[in-house]
Amino acid sequence: MTYGLMVIAINLGYLVFAIIAGLFLAKFLRRFSFFHRVPNALLSILFILGIALAPFYDLLIQKGIKTYYEVFDKTYAKIYTYPEKDSEGRVESLADNKEFHELSAYFIDTNEDRIKLKNRYLWIRDFTENYVRGNLEQNTTKDFGYARIYLNKQPIIYEKISSPKDFKARYQVLTKITQHWFYKEMKTSFWDKKKNKLLAQTLEIAFPVNHQKNKFRYIYLHQHGANGAGGITVKGIYGLDKEVYDKLFIEKKKKGN
């Protein structure tokens, strides 16, 4: 309760400072002929808002970008066609690159664990290709890397592969991440490589705040949790790739073309 009151007091104090500084700047700049064209009240309001919102400029830009996508570009997810499935509703094989999905090394540690993986991927007939996070060796932080796991073998076996360029799966889910100044785009393409056919595409957008703890609003305005965790962020547009993934490959009601 005490911390909350302190934060309110600090932010109200900053607002008062913004009002005083804005009025002073407006009065000072009225001396110059260029600013005579702008009404005094409007000039004051602009300076007050500018100073008050300055600590949040990056969030305002991010919110503007998000609003643009929500209003003018709503084509976040497009499904063009569905994969072919056998009589049991399974696809031949499926690969995911690292940017889309990571698999824990736990699942390839023993054949018992790989059987658990097979039960998890009952809708894949032959094999899955994934980036494996973690390692089977002790005292190392290096990831295992990419692996092809043959679910149709007995016992279930795996082999290491060097990169997504070596994927052999018929269906491949490939995500490309593009970092911009205030946001990053994650474009995911769902491919039928056997027919070289694009099944679907999704666009997700994240709004990360870099160096959050160095921000003026974080340090001086205490715009974060009481324990110093978190901070103000703009919620991204995401979750669509998993939704499309489920519709294409997992939902049994969908029939192959």
Side-chain angles (χ1 to χ4, degrees):
M1 184 69 177
T2 304
Y3 178 80
L5 291 174
M6 181 193 74
V7 173
I8 292 173
I10 290 173
N11 282 267
L12 284 175
Y14 182 73
L15 180 59
V16 171
F17 165 77
I19 293 172
I20 295 172
L23 291 173
F24 172 80
L25 283 174
K27 185 176 181 180
F28 176 78
L29 291 175
R30 290 288 292 180
R31 299 178 181 181
F32 301 96
S33 59
F34 176 81
F35 291 96
H36 289 169
R37 307 171 187 175
V38 184
N40 188 55
L42 177 59
L43 193 61
S44 299
I45 291 172
L46 290 176
F47 277 115
I48 291 170
L49 287 176
I51 296 171
L53 298 177
F56 311 96
Y57 80 95
D58 55 332
L59 300 177
L60 294 172
I61 293 173
Q62 289 179 334
K63 184 62 177 178
I65 293 170
K66 182 179 180 180
T67 301
Y68 168 81
Y69 276 101
E70 289 177 331
V71 174
F72 298 106
D73 187 1
K74 297 181 180 180
T75 55
Y76 307 123
K78 294 180 180 179
I79 296 178
Y80 305 109
T81 186
Y82 287 87
E84 296 178 357
K85 299 182 180 181
D86 63 17
S87 58
E88 297 181 5
R90 298 179 299 178
V91 296
E92 287 180 27
S93 52
L94 181 67
D96 306 326
N97 71 346
K98 179 181 180 181
E99 287 73 19
F100 178 77
H101 175 249
E102 294 181 358
L103 189 68
S104 172
Y106 163 84
F107 285 108
I108 61 172
D109 195 9
T110 66
N111 194 55
E112 181 180 349
D113 294 329
R114 292 194 287 277
I115 289 173
K116 293 178 182 178
L117 183 66
K118 179 177 181 178
N119 291 332
R120 179 177 174 178
Y121 286 148
L122 286 174
W123 43 274
I124 299 178
R125 186 176 69 233
D126 295 335
F127 62 85
T128 179
E129 295 171 323
N130 299 87
Y131 182 84
V132 180
R133 175 178 46 80
N135 206 293
L136 307 183
E137 302 175 9
Q138 294 182 348
N139 303 320
T140 179
T141 58
K142 183 179 179 182
D143 288 348
F144 184 90
Y146 283 96
R148 181 178 301 116
I149 305 168
Y150 291 92
L151 305 173
N152 60 344
K153 303 289 185 180
Q154 188 60 36
I156 297 169
I157 62 173
Y158 70 86
E159 62 185 25
K160 293 189 70 171
I161 53 180
S162 61
S163 73
K165 293 180 180 179
D166 297 318
F167 281 165
K168 294 181 180 179
R170 174 172 179 178
Y171 298 104
Q172 298 183 17
V173 184
L174 307 174
T175 298
K176 180 181 179 182
I177 298 177
T178 304
Q179 184 69 55
H180 300 281
W181 277 104
F182 293 98
Y183 69 104
K184 66 178 180 180
E185 291 182 338
M186 296 156 285
K187 294 183 179 180
T188 300
S189 301
F190 300 78
W191 288 94
D192 179 346
K193 289 294 184 177
K194 184 176 181 179
K195 294 187 175 181
N196 195 31
K197 181 189 295 184
L198 181 63
L199 303 179
Q201 281 186 314
T202 64
L203 171 64
E204 299 187 307
I205 302 169
F207 299 99
V209 178
N210 298 322
H211 310 295
Q212 176 81 277
K213 293 186 178 181
N214 295 330
K215 300 290 185 182
F216 179 91
R217 61 177 177 267
Y218 189 100
I219 299 173
Y220 299 106
L221 301 182
H222 294 270
Q223 296 283 347
H224 53 71
N227 59 355
I232 302 176
T233 59
V234 175
K235 186 177 181 180
I237 301 170
Y238 46 80
L240 301 168
D241 55 358
K242 298 297 189 294
E243 181 181 325
V244 170
Y245 183 93
D246 290 349
K247 288 181 179 180
L248 289 177
F249 301 114
I250 299 178
E251 291 182 7
K252 294 182 179 180
K253 63 183 180 180
K254 298 296 184 184
K255 301 297 182 181
N257 293 334

